[in-house]
Amino acid sequence: MTTGGTPVGPGRAGPDLSDMRFDDWVARWLPVSWGPYARLCRLDRPVGTWLTLLPALAALVQAADGLPTLWRLVVFSLGALLMRGVGCTFNDIFDRDFDHRVERTRFRPLTSGQLTLRAALWFAVAQLLVSATLLLAINATSRWLALALLPLVVIYPLCKRYTYWPQAVLGVAFNWGMLMAWSDTRDIVPWTAVAMWLGAVLWQIGYDAIYAYIDLRDDRMLGLKSVAMRFGDQGRAWIGGLYAATAALWTSAGWGMGMDWPYYLVMAVIAGHFVWQMRVFDVRHPERGLRLFRSNMQVGVLLIVAALAGTVLRPWL
């Protein structure tokens, strides 16, 4: 099963859906021996890190009711980078016997033999040790929340073997920083913060479902599960419903926080972006998924803009 002019399945050709590129900045700028480690923690594919970080930055703005401190911005940015790397490393460790049989993941460092399992495990430990130093920079409540997050990050790759909802576990884990932003800033996590977080979880289930359709054929062959398999041909209705719930939760949470009217204007733009995604999305054309998945970085940026518009602009309104 190959692509790029060669057959993809019986008698058909299609686009190359591999998520590895070997002519990028990693290949050009990093020592050869570092490249597999950079790809293992996805430094070459920063979209996931941004999608983890941007909602947390928006939560920092809301929790601070304005601009957060530079120190918190640095700490939470490093936390998003490191924990996303840890999650990706464990994902590839658990999936190493599957990835070489999946079109999108067949060239990843561990499954393709560029790294040994031993090297990947030591790299995971090293990332966890560096992440642990960040615990010194946050308050006690946030430390407990950070420790509660770790099992979710580790078990996520196993969920696809037992449930159609592994993306829900991923959404819970990778938006956890939103809760920690409030706990570290105010030492409390109010219902409005939980509503924002739940909205982000549903948002991630939606955009990860779009991404999961790329792997749908391979997942069926391997006996793995995903929300794309659960949604089937009704993917647009399911994902559209998740996006609608996201917009509703973010809007109601903003009201509960006393956000000013520009916040709701940006929310309307986000809702419009969700509508555009659903117009483009088609379960029969999963190759569109990567473009739509990446477009959610714009939603993350808009979420920060909304938080700033609802807080920082208040003195001028």
Side-chain angles (χ1 to χ4, degrees):
M1 180 173 58
T2 56
T3 56
T6 56
V8 184
R12 28 188 211 106
D16 187 352
L17 298 179
S18 169
D19 59 10
M20 293 287 108
R21 296 291 179 264
F22 299 100
D23 57 351
D24 57 7
W25 70 270
V26 171
R28 291 192 298 269
W29 297 105
L30 292 184
V32 174
S33 61
W34 294 14
Y37 293 98
R39 298 187 192 283
L40 184 62
C41 65
R42 309 291 196 272
L43 287 181
D44 59 325
R45 295 169 54 220
V47 176
T49 301
W50 283 114
L51 288 171
T52 302
L53 175 60
L54 293 172
L57 295 182
L60 282 173
V61 172
Q62 291 177 326
D65 198 25
L67 296 177
T69 65
L70 179 60
W71 178 246
R72 282 200 176 92
L73 290 175
V74 171
V75 169
F76 276 79
S77 296
L78 289 174
L81 177 67
L82 287 166
M83 290 311 297
R84 194 254 179 158
V86 169
C88 291
T89 300
F90 277 110
N91 182 78
D92 286 11
I93 287 171
F94 284 119
D95 285 357
R96 64 190 184 280
D97 294 330
F98 293 108
D99 282 345
H100 70 280
R101 302 168 62 188
V102 176
E103 185 176 355
R104 182 175 58 83
T105 61
R106 64 196 188 277
F107 295 132
R108 287 182 174 176
L110 192 53
T111 196
S112 63
Q114 299 171 57
L115 285 178
T116 65
L117 175 60
R118 181 185 180 88
L121 287 169
W122 277 114
F123 185 55
V125 170
Q127 291 177 89
L128 285 171
L129 290 174
V130 176
S131 300
T133 64
L134 295 179
L135 296 178
L136 302 174
I138 56 180
N139 65 17
T141 304
S142 301
R143 288 184 198 130
W144 285 111
L145 280 173
L147 292 174
L149 167 64
L150 184 58
L152 295 175
V153 174
V154 175
I155 69 169
Y156 156 69
L158 299 176
C159 294
K160 66 187 76 173
R161 290 143 170 89
Y162 305 107
T163 175
Y164 288 108
W165 297 91
Q167 285 78 14
V169 178
L170 188 66
V172 168
F174 279 81
N175 291 289
W176 202 254
M178 298 178 75
L179 301 179
M180 293 178 61
W182 279 87
S183 68
D184 193 57
T185 303
R186 298 198 183 185
D187 207 26
I188 59 169
V189 182
W191 75 266
T192 50
V194 174
M196 290 294 300
W197 171 71
L198 285 174
V201 172
L202 297 180
W203 170 45
Q204 181 154 0
I205 296 172
Y207 68 66
D208 270 341
I210 292 173
Y211 200 66
Y213 274 96
I214 300 174
D215 294 337
L216 187 56
R217 184 181 61 222
D218 294 313
D219 285 345
R220 283 174 174 158
M221 177 186 68
L222 296 170
L224 299 176
K225 297 178 172 65
S226 72
V227 289
M229 198 174 297
R230 174 64 182 84
F231 296 168
D233 293 339
Q234 301 301 313
R236 179 176 290 170
W238 273 95
I239 299 168
L242 289 166
Y243 281 173
T246 295
L249 282 166
W250 286 349
T251 301
S252 61
W255 174 81
M257 294 177 192
M259 294 283 111
D260 285 308
W261 66 266
Y263 175 87
Y264 305 103
L265 182 62
V266 182
M267 282 294 120
V269 176
I270 290 175
H273 189 281
F274 288 156
V275 170
W276 169 79
Q277 285 192 46
M278 290 301 92
R279 289 178 64 88
V280 174
F281 175 70
D282 190 332
V283 298
R284 298 168 298 179
H285 297 282
E287 68 278 1
R288 298 178 184 175
L290 186 57
R291 173 194 174 198
L292 293 173
F293 174 80
R294 288 173 174 165
S295 76
N296 281 281
M297 283 195 297
Q298 299 171 28
V299 176
V301 171
L302 286 169
L303 193 58
I304 295 175
V305 172
L308 290 171
T311 57
V312 175
L313 293 182
R314 183 175 293 125
W316 290 276
L317 296 177

